[in-house]
Amino acid sequence: MALEVEGVHTYYGESHVLQGISLRVEPGEVLAILGRNGMGKTTLINSIVGVTHYFGGTIRLDGRDISALRPDQRAHAGIGWVPQERNIFKSLTVEENLTAVARPGPWTVKRAFELFPRLAERRRNLGTQLSGGEQQMLAFARALVLNPRLLLLDEPLEGLAPLIVAELLAAIGRVAREEGLSSIVVEQHPHMVLQVTDDAIVLERGGIALAATSVALLADPSPLDQWLGVAGT
């Protein structure tokens, strides 16, 4: 099993955000985390990464308990993270952004450029010279060249043009189907992400309100209406 989250509770100050969350991600599986704003989606990702105040439960990566590890130790253990803020080095070129963090493994800078040809074309451009979509591709590529065991993507499609969204969705699907890389994708709009995921959960006030296969929700999105407001939005 790639990831096992069991009974995790997370707080921000006195606010009890995650309330006993449990989930599993199998090797090569892509899990969608859906939900309205403020329901705990990003907090769940941050708890797996290790940047929140963790107060209970267990997080295992490939069977290893990583609950007590610092964020840098979790990254070393195999957690790859693409945060909402992207966190690229804007003063470095595209290529320097990748070579600065690359670790030995199947995902090389060359392979990242093959996955995202746009980045290869812009390899000598600074981060400040990239569009929002290109910055998101670079953030994705940076996570890949770390050669993680599990990839976490926090709303990677937010605010991007349809053409860029299509390229990113294809990349998410490819790294899972062809490379066997387990992934978790946080998204507010099911109709986009369910096309490339295997299973989905909906968070509501720090708990799991709905769990289903992506195929089932694509065939009948009506269960999403109760939790997301509009089925298939």
Side-chain angles (χ1 to χ4, degrees):
M1 184 170 304
L3 177 74
E4 183 176 11
V5 174
E6 185 176 353
V8 166
H9 294 259
T10 303
Y11 290 76
Y12 283 124
E14 296 182 358
S15 179
H16 191 180
V17 181
L18 297 184
Q19 303 181 22
I21 290 282
S22 296
L23 61 86
R24 296 183 176 188
V25 180
E26 301 292 341
E29 180 186 357
V30 184
L31 173 69
I33 298 179
L34 310 172
R36 294 172 295 178
N37 285 334
M39 293 297 114
K41 303 187 303 297
T42 293
T43 300
L44 176 55
I45 293 294
N46 289 348
S47 296
I48 297 170
V49 173
V51 295
T52 58
H53 291 294
Y54 154 83
F55 283 92
T58 305
I59 300 172
R60 296 185 182 91
L61 182 66
D62 288 339
R64 176 189 178 189
D65 189 344
I66 63 169
S67 308
L69 298 185
R70 301 187 308 264
D72 61 303
Q73 293 172 323
R74 296 189 193 197
H76 239 319
I79 298 289
W81 181 33
V82 182
Q84 284 180 300
E85 301 80 10
R86 298 168 187 157
N87 288 358
I88 64 169
F89 298 132
K90 294 186 177 181
S91 61
L92 299 182
T93 66
V94 167
E95 190 163 20
E96 289 169 342
N97 262 275
L98 298 176
T99 57
V101 300
R103 292 179 182 164
W107 279 103
T108 62
V109 173
K110 179 181 178 182
R111 289 197 65 206
F113 282 152
E114 290 171 353
L115 183 65
F116 294 117
R118 287 172 182 261
L119 295 183
E121 296 169 2
R122 307 295 301 272
R123 64 194 304 158
R124 305 204 191 293
N125 287 85
L126 299 176
T128 54
Q129 297 172 318
L130 302 180
S131 68
E134 290 166 343
Q135 288 184 15
Q136 189 63 273
M137 289 179 182
L138 180 54
F140 193 155
R142 274 168 49 89
L144 286 176
V145 298
L146 286 167
N147 283 288
R149 298 179 185 177
L150 174 72
L151 185 63
L152 309 175
L153 300 109
D154 194 354
E155 300 202 26
L157 311 177
E158 188 66 26
L160 301 181
L163 182 61
I164 301 295
V165 167
E167 289 187 45
L168 285 168
L169 285 173
I172 292 168
R174 176 179 166 184
V175 297
R177 308 291 177 256
E178 298 181 17
E179 310 295 337
L181 179 58
S182 304
S183 305
I184 295 178
V185 186
V186 170
E187 186 52 60
Q188 290 191 56
H189 307 293
H191 72 282
M192 294 190 291
V193 74
L194 290 176
Q195 301 169 45
V196 297
T197 58
D198 300 293
D199 295 288
I201 62 172
V202 176
L203 295 190
E204 176 73 14
R205 299 185 180 181
I208 296 177
L210 175 68
T213 67
S214 299
V215 169
L217 292 175
L218 285 170
D220 178 16
S222 60
L224 296 171
D225 190 37
Q226 177 180 0
W227 306 110
L228 302 181
V230 178
T233 297

